[in-house]
């Protein structure tokens, strides 16, 4: 394994990568927030030079995939089937849009609720990096649901609480919706 440093542009990214690291054992030497970067930047190796040597991975999805691939839980996090890998890729491609910028609509949550009606996890039969992305991205929204919405989004709430439990959400500072 190589020394790694990750610079992220926001607190939400910091939460996501911290959660990935703590849940999966992904190796990250340092993790810093710097609002001047537009997307996460993962520097691999000891080089402080620019990325002309190919040691910088840019983008949330690319950095998540790389770090997850270095984890002892790589197959689980990245999907054990083609269907799971495709769904994870779809979620990672969406991670830079609505859910990540705080523009989550009821229709988005309703679509996820429908998707989760017969599933425990977003992609495949185990917790994946897609679940972690959605968990962090939706934590503020799910935590602020009025009681009246709990019945409308029961599958999202069940999924959220399950992920919360598995990743140690209380220790990580995420809202427990079961309370």
């Amino acid at each position: 394994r190589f020394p790694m440093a990750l610079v992220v542009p926001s607190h939400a990214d910091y939460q996501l990568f911290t959660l990935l690291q703590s849940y999966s054992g992904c190796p990250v030497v340092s993790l810093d927030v710097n609002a001047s970067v537009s997307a996460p930047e993962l520097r691999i190796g000891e080089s402080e030079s620019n990325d002309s040597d190919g040691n910088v991975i840019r983008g949330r999805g690319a950095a998540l995939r790389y770090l997850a691939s270095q984890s002892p839980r790589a197959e689980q996090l990245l999907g054990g089937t083609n269907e799971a890998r495709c769904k994870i890729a779809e979620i990672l491609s969406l991670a830079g849009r609505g859910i990540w910028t705080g523009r989550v609509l009821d229709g988005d949550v309703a679509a996820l609720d429908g998707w989760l009606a017969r599933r425990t996890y977003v992609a495949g039969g185990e917790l994946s990096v897609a679940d972690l992305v959605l968990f962090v991205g939706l934590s503020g929204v799910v935590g602020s649901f009025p009681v009246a919405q709990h019945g409308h989004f029961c599958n999202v709430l069940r999924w959220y609480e399950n992920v919360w439990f598995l990743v140690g959400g209380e220790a990580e500072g995420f809202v427990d919706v079961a309370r």
Side-chain angles (χ1 to χ4, degrees):
R1 302 208 192 270
F2 301 102
M4 290 184 263
L6 181 62
V7 177
V8 296
S10 70
H11 178 68
D13 280 307
Y14 184 87
Q15 284 184 303
L16 174 61
F17 284 99
T18 299
L19 187 62
L20 176 66
Q21 183 179 3
S22 68
Y23 176 74
S24 68
C26 294
V28 174
V29 169
S30 66
L31 179 57
D32 297 306
V33 177
N34 182 340
S36 69
V37 297
S38 61
E41 294 182 358
L42 175 64
R43 183 168 302 280
I44 302 167
E46 309 247 1
S47 172
E48 291 295 325
S49 66
N50 63 28
D51 67 346
S52 62
D53 56 0
N55 287 345
V56 176
I57 296 172
R58 287 190 176 82
R60 187 176 296 112
L64 284 166
R65 278 190 286 271
Y66 181 82
L67 288 173
S69 75
Q70 303 301 302
S71 164
R73 296 181 173 184
E75 186 173 341
Q76 170 195 342
L77 290 166
L78 296 172
T81 66
N82 286 336
E83 179 186 74
R85 285 188 289 273
C86 289
K87 192 63 174 173
I88 290 167
E90 177 186 353
I91 298 299
L92 292 181
S93 73
L94 297 173
R97 298 190 357 221
I99 64 157
W100 215 252
T101 59
R103 294 186 309 257
V104 180
L105 305 174
D106 279 356
D108 298 329
V109 179
L112 179 59
D113 194 72
W115 176 256
L116 291 169
R118 295 186 180 168
R119 294 171 177 81
T120 303
Y121 302 103
V122 173
E126 299 178 285
L127 185 77
S128 72
V129 71
D131 292 289
L132 298 178
V133 166
L134 289 174
F135 177 79
V136 173
L138 293 173
S139 63
V141 172
V142 171
S144 66
F145 280 167
V147 174
Q149 282 186 311
H150 284 207
H152 296 291
F153 303 127
C154 59
N155 298 310
V156 168
L157 290 168
R158 170 189 46 80
W159 162 83
Y160 180 91
E161 189 64 19
N162 185 43
V163 174
W164 183 90
F165 176 77
L166 289 172
V167 300
E170 185 172 23
E172 297 293 335
F174 291 97
V175 175
D176 180 3
V177 295
R179 292 186 179 165

